[in-house]
Amino acid sequence: MTSPPTSDPSRGIVGDRQLVAVQAFDIARLTAHAVPIVPETFIAVSGLGPKGDSNGSGKTSFLIAVSLLLADPQWRLETNGGRHASGILFRPDAAGVDQAQQASPVTHGYIVGVFAHPDDPATSPVTVWVRIATTVPYLQANWTEGLHVADAPTDHERSIQADALWRELGTRQLLSARAMAEKLYGTAPRCLTYLDTALRPPVPSLLSQQLTEMEPHDIGRSLIALSGMTPLLEEEDDLRGQALQHQISLEKAQAEHAQALLAEERVMSGVRAREAARLALQRGHEAWRRYLAASYRDAHHSDQRVAERMDEETQTAETAEALVLAAEDHVNSLGSAVELAAQKGKAHQTWSDAQQLVGELSKKVTELTTRQAVLRARRTTLLPQAQGWDGSDCTTAAAHLELRQREHAKAELQRGEAEDTVARARTHLHNVEQGRSGQAGLAIDLLSEHRIHAHGLLDQLNVEEAARPAWEPRLAPWQDAIVVEPEQEETARRLLHAVLPGAQIIASDARQEPLPEGIHSTLNVARFLGTLQERLAPSSDGLAVRDQELALTVAGGFPTALAGREARIRQARADLATAEQACTEATEAMTVATAALTLAQTQHEAAQAAEELARLDTQENDLQTKIDDLTGRATKAARDEQNLQQTWQEAVARHAAHEQLLTNAKLTLEGAGKALEERHRNLAALERQRDQVAASRWQQQWGAPLEDAVHLLDQASDQARSSRPAALRRQAEDGLRRAYEHYGVDGTPGADVSQDLRAGEEMMQSFADTDPAGLPRPHLRRRGSPAREPPCGSPGPGRGRRRARHPRPARPRAGDRRTHQRGRHQRPQPGNPPGHDRKAP
């Protein structure tokens, strides 16, 4: 660890001066007054916020302005360029300015700070200006010696003066947001604040309420930053990193040296394994040569046998072809039956036309006969209807019928109305007898369901005969009124309000009072009747009553008594008797109208029947004439149809005989053709069998005459001579596999071997998977070339799972005899195995 510095860190341009005044321009709701900063005193920021309280008046905005002026580290000016600080500028909506004032947000503003020594502020003051904008650059700083602030008399004039003062500072000492803190105040922070604002991301600090959430190392970093020792700590971290990097480089060099030694040992092991691989490959080549010789010999013998069978099939096919030609000549000699078919078709069409004509004539005769029978049946039906005909025509009978129908409808309507009147009269009589007549009866029934006793007014009043002219006009408007007890009046009103609008409710008197003269009743309604008597005075002639206040006159002259149950019952019974008499008369009139209507209907139907019978006579005569004509034509058409049928049958017989002869000849031709096709299929099968034998291609694989193959197989040992081609092929595969195994290729999936050996292993696997009886496509030499000539860097025996890194072994020079021979004998020569050179290593 480096020792801490003995002297204080640099304090920048401001040095040990202290902040003595702050001035803001277009910053939130703050005014442009210069605010003195006095140690150990409070700064009161007062005002009315947008919501009518102190919230938003500018307290936090002033703290933000001071923290930006002193480059508080939590603003991260070195990383974001002061972008978050642009939110402190004046905005009308945030400040609560009324939209009617049409104030617009500002695009830039200033924070000015004056720094000086507290003991002697006038000696060497420094003024720092910080410009905040909504566009890049978001924050810039400038400074000058001396006092450089706005001193105009009004706040608006000071805001205008701020732009001119900023331009006067020039650009020589202009500082960016990144360099502002270190240039002005040095390496140690000048200010730490806790601000409850969304303008900057919340970060736990020594001053925030989340101090308990800070880790110990975060508290340590904050204390180191406060002491200004952060650069020394970073320098020590760099030195430690360099030492660790040197240690890693040393260990890497030692590991590479050890790997080089291992690679050298792998190269030597590969050289020792090469001879063993070449010997195994040589034995495989010899077995492969004998395999090709045996396969060619067997293919040649099989090809000879198939060729003999093909000669026999060819002769048989020639005989079958001669039979086919003879059958074709016989078919051609019979000729075509087109003319006979045309004659048969024409005869059949003529016969079909005759059949159709006979059918059409018979159908028409049947239709006419059916119509005639229908007319006769209709005549039989109409004769009884016409017996009562009075000689009038249909028009006169129809007019008479229409008149009787109207009279009958009118009588039926009158009878219905009379029956309805009787029903209403009976209902009215019943209601009167029960004291439930009219609207008053409905109200009484409804109230009785709720246990409220009510009575009809006129039902319970009896008026003397002498008092009728004076009292019946007064009582006539109250025929539907009901009388209830005083304590039940309100309940009755609520119940009848929605069910019977317009119901008349009279509250009886609390005690018994004498009724007016001429009126008798068990109801206590003296007050009601007295009021009627006072308000409705009789007219001078005694025929009406009049209410002077309402200007209302009610006429009298009722023929029967209006009040009293007995009088009302008598009147209801009289009304019922009158209605029943009218109903009886209407029923009799209905009976007379029904009889007249029935007679008119009978006369109308008789007139219609007589008129239709006259038409039927004419239609029957016309139908009989047509039937006679069609019957004659149908008889002649039937004779012609029989003759045409005989002609068609003769044409069919001639055509059928020719068709039989032609069918027999075609069957003979078909049998000969099938025999010829069978011979051709046998020849094609023998040709495919000969292609599968592939004697010529096996000869190309062998590359020498048959005598050389037989001679090579005869020279082999007894065990090798008796081996079949499949066994010889397996011997060649075994030699190739052993050669690859010497280089670590053992078939393990995912083994780490070179690309060439991997390709050779895949070729070997595909060679082993092919059909032993089929032709081999790549030669054994091409399959074994990666094992015979392993590329540089290929592993030795038993080490194929790791790729060695070693220098490339020396290869033969351009004039080396071995290289020359390999280039000259790339194609197999007769007598040599494919892929095996005469002098190949």
Side-chain angles (χ1 to χ4, degrees):
M1 297 264 320
T2 13
S3 301
T6 56
S7 60
D8 294 337
S10 172
R11 299 204 173 197
I13 297 171
V14 175
D16 57 354
R17 299 178 180 88
Q18 296 182 8
L19 180 64
V20 297
V22 175
Q23 191 174 25
F25 302 96
D26 292 328
I27 301 299
R29 294 168 57 89
L30 301 178
T31 63
H33 295 88
V35 180
I37 306 298
V38 180
E40 301 181 357
T41 60
F42 287 99
I43 298 175
V45 181
S46 63
L48 190 63
K51 297 183 179 180
D53 52 13
S54 62
N55 292 328
S57 60
K59 301 185 297 296
T60 305
S61 301
F62 184 80
L63 292 176
I64 291 174
V66 175
S67 65
L68 284 172
L69 176 66
L70 299 178
D72 183 354
Q74 288 196 18
W75 283 103
R76 300 184 182 277
L77 301 177
E78 70 281 359
T79 58
N80 57 39
R83 179 169 55 88
H84 298 307
S86 61
I88 195 60
L89 294 174
F90 173 76
R91 289 179 295 134
D93 53 349
V97 178
D98 190 1
Q99 296 181 357
Q101 299 182 13
Q102 297 182 352
S104 58
V106 299
T107 58
H108 66 279
Y110 304 96
I111 304 173
V112 182
V114 179
F115 296 86
H117 296 286
D119 299 335
D120 190 7
T123 303
S124 57
V126 172
T127 303
V128 176
W129 279 66
V130 177
R131 184 181 187 272
I132 303 171
T134 57
T135 57
V136 179
Y138 297 105
L139 190 142
Q140 291 177 303
N142 210 334
W143 63 278
T144 182
E145 298 284 350
L147 192 62
H148 192 75
V149 296
D151 55 358
T154 65
D155 189 75
H156 180 66
E157 292 175 350
R158 286 191 295 269
S159 298
I160 297 174
Q161 187 182 3
D163 290 330
L165 292 174
W166 171 261
R167 288 192 295 269
E168 290 177 4
L169 294 176
T171 58
R172 184 173 61 87
Q173 299 175 144
L174 189 65
L175 300 174
S176 64
R178 184 186 299 273
M180 169 185 169
E182 184 175 356
K183 291 291 185 182
L184 291 176
Y185 310 115
T187 56
R190 194 62 179 260
C191 172
L192 285 178
T193 58
Y194 168 68
L195 298 174
D196 187 8
T197 177
L199 295 182
R200 67 183 187 186
V203 178
S205 68
L206 296 175
L207 298 180
S208 67
Q209 295 177 352
Q210 296 119 351
L211 179 61
T212 57
E213 301 177 5
M214 294 181 65
E215 298 292 337
H217 58 273
D218 294 330
I219 298 176
R221 288 195 184 94
S222 299
L223 294 174
I224 291 172
L226 284 174
S227 63
M229 297 179 65
T230 300
L232 298 177
L233 185 61
E234 293 176 351
E235 182 180 1
E236 183 176 355
D237 289 341
D238 292 340
L239 293 176
R240 285 178 177 272
Q242 293 176 8
L244 181 60
Q245 186 64 34
H246 291 327
Q247 181 67 26
I248 294 173
S249 299
L250 177 61
E251 293 176 357
K252 181 178 179 182
Q254 291 175 349
E256 290 178 352
H257 177 68
Q259 291 178 358
L261 292 177
L262 291 175
E264 184 178 355
E265 178 61 25
R266 290 193 184 93
V267 171
M268 298 306 297
S269 299
V271 172
R272 288 192 295 270
R274 185 168 300 175
E275 285 300 324
R278 287 179 178 174
L279 180 60
L281 188 61
Q282 179 64 30
R283 287 196 294 269
H285 284 167
E286 293 175 356
W288 178 260
R289 186 65 177 166
R290 289 195 301 275
Y291 160 70
L292 292 179
S295 298
Y296 173 50
R297 179 196 61 189
D298 295 347
H300 178 75
H301 292 162
S302 299
D303 184 75
Q304 292 297 322
R305 290 193 298 271
V306 173
E308 293 175 359
R309 292 181 58 189
M310 289 181 64
D311 292 340
E312 295 175 359
E313 287 293 335
T314 301
Q315 294 177 1
T316 306
E318 291 176 355
T319 304
E321 187 174 1
L323 294 176
V324 169
L325 292 176
E328 288 179 350
D329 293 340
H330 181 60
V331 170
N332 294 332
S333 64
L334 290 176
S336 175
V338 175
E339 183 177 355
L340 293 176
Q343 293 176 1
K344 183 185 71 172
K346 183 177 180 181
H348 185 270
Q349 182 63 40
T350 305
W351 177 44
S352 298
D353 294 342
Q355 284 182 322
Q356 184 177 0
L357 178 60
V358 172
E360 290 176 356
L361 292 174
S362 299
K363 183 178 179 181
K364 290 181 179 180
V365 171
T366 302
E367 290 177 356
L368 294 177
T369 304
T370 302
R371 290 176 57 187
Q372 188 179 41
V374 171
L375 293 177
R376 289 174 179 174
R378 180 61 177 165
R379 173 187 289 275
T380 304
T381 303
L382 293 176
L383 285 174
Q385 296 179 5
Q387 288 180 359
W389 182 41
D390 59 358
S392 60
D393 56 5
C394 288
T395 303
T396 303
H400 187 66
L401 174 62
E402 183 179 0
L403 177 61
R404 293 295 179 262
Q405 286 176 343
R406 288 197 300 270
E407 292 176 352
H408 181 270
K410 181 179 179 181
E412 185 176 12
L413 179 61
Q414 290 175 351
R415 186 185 66 174
E417 292 176 352
E419 291 175 349
D420 293 341
T421 302
V422 171
R424 287 194 299 270
R426 285 199 181 102
T427 302
H428 179 66
L429 175 60
H430 176 73
N431 292 336
V432 170
E433 291 173 347
Q434 299 296 323
R436 298 287 197 273
S437 62
Q439 192 81 359
L442 296 176
I444 293 171
D445 292 338
L446 178 61
L447 295 177
S448 64
E449 295 177 0
H450 296 275
R451 298 182 180 180
I452 297 176
H453 298 287
H455 303 278
L457 175 64
L458 298 187
D459 184 66
Q460 297 295 323
L461 290 180
N462 292 316
V463 182
E464 295 180 357
E465 187 66 25
R468 282 181 58 199
W471 276 102
E472 285 184 347
R474 294 171 181 162
L475 296 175
W478 308 98
Q479 295 185 37
D480 294 325
I482 61 174
V483 180
V484 297
E485 296 298 328
E487 62 273 10
Q488 294 178 336
E489 179 185 7
E490 183 63 24
T491 304
R493 181 187 61 78
R494 289 198 305 270
L495 293 174
L496 299 178
H497 172 73
V499 180
L500 292 175
Q504 299 170 338
I505 305 172
I506 301 173
S508 62
D509 301 336
R511 62 177 183 270
Q512 184 73 33
E513 296 288 344
L515 299 178
E517 184 179 359
I519 295 180
H520 306 281
S521 177
T522 59
L523 299 177
N524 297 329
V525 290
R527 183 181 57 178
F528 173 74
L529 295 176
T531 303
L532 288 180
Q533 187 177 16
E534 293 176 1
R535 296 189 61 175
L536 296 172
S539 61
S540 58
D541 56 3
L543 299 179
V545 293
R546 179 174 178 79
D547 187 344
Q548 296 296 335
E549 295 180 2
L550 294 177
L552 171 66
T553 300
V554 181
F558 295 95
T560 59
L562 184 65
R565 179 176 296 184
E566 294 299 330
R568 294 166 69 87
I569 290 175
R570 286 195 302 272
Q571 182 62 37
R573 288 175 178 172
D575 294 342
L576 176 60
T578 302
E580 289 176 345
Q581 179 63 31
C583 183
T584 301
E585 295 174 356
T587 302
E588 294 175 354
M590 177 68 185
T591 302
V592 174
T594 301
L597 177 61
T598 302
L599 180 60
Q601 289 177 341
T602 303
Q603 290 298 325
H604 183 259
E605 291 174 357
Q608 289 180 333
E611 185 176 348
E612 189 173 354
L613 285 173
R615 290 197 303 270
L616 289 178
D617 291 338
T618 304
Q619 293 177 1
E620 285 184 9
N621 295 332
D622 295 341
L623 284 176
Q624 188 60 44
T625 303
K626 294 180 180 179
I627 290 172
D628 295 340
D629 180 59
L630 289 175
T631 302
R633 292 172 57 190
T635 303
K636 181 178 181 303
R639 290 195 299 269
D640 296 342
E641 184 266 336
Q642 292 178 355
N643 296 333
L644 291 174
Q645 181 181 9
Q646 183 65 28
T647 303
W648 171 73
Q649 291 175 349
E650 294 174 356
V652 168
R654 290 194 300 271
H655 184 265
H658 183 274
E659 285 290 332
Q660 184 63 35
L661 294 175
L662 184 60
T663 300
N664 295 335
K666 288 182 178 180
L667 290 174
T668 302
L669 175 61
E670 183 179 358
K674 289 181 178 180
L676 180 59
E677 290 177 358
E678 180 66 22
R679 301 283 78 78
H680 286 166
R681 284 196 296 270
N682 293 340
L683 282 173
L686 291 173
E687 288 180 357
R688 290 193 297 272
Q689 185 177 356
R690 194 171 186 182
D691 290 339
Q692 292 176 357
V693 170
S696 60
R697 284 176 288 185
W698 278 111
Q699 184 181 13
Q700 293 177 0
Q701 292 284 341
W702 166 244
L706 178 64
E707 293 78 6
D708 293 346
V710 174
H711 180 68
L712 177 63
L713 295 174
D714 292 340
Q715 287 180 349
S717 61
D718 294 339
Q719 183 178 3
R721 184 184 308 154
S722 60
S723 299
R724 292 178 298 176
L728 293 173
R729 181 187 176 99
R730 286 194 295 272
Q731 293 178 10
E733 293 176 3
D734 183 66
L736 180 60
R737 184 178 62 258
R738 291 180 181 275
Y740 275 106
E741 288 177 353
H742 283 293
Y743 286 91
V745 181
D746 56 358
T748 303
D752 187 12
V753 297
S754 66
Q755 184 176 0
D756 293 341
L757 288 178
R758 176 64 65 193
E761 180 188 13
E762 295 175 356
M763 293 172 61
M764 179 183 69
Q765 185 63 36
S766 63
F767 174 64
D769 293 340
T770 55
D771 185 10
L775 284 168
R777 285 177 289 181
H779 294 305
L780 181 63
R781 175 179 175 82
R782 199 186 318 162
R783 298 182 186 275
S785 59
R788 186 179 60 254
E789 293 291 338
C792 66
S794 300
R799 302 179 183 180
R801 298 185 185 275
R802 291 179 58 87
R803 185 184 298 271
R805 297 183 180 179
H806 56 82
R808 183 187 295 265
R811 288 190 177 273
R813 296 187 300 274
D816 190 4
R817 178 183 178 186
R818 182 171 55 188
T819 305
H820 174 68
Q821 288 177 349
R822 184 161 59 246
R824 185 179 61 186
H825 297 291
Q826 289 182 355
R827 290 178 176 269
Q829 301 298 327
N832 293 332
H836 185 74
D837 300 333
R838 293 176 179 173
K839 298 181 181 181

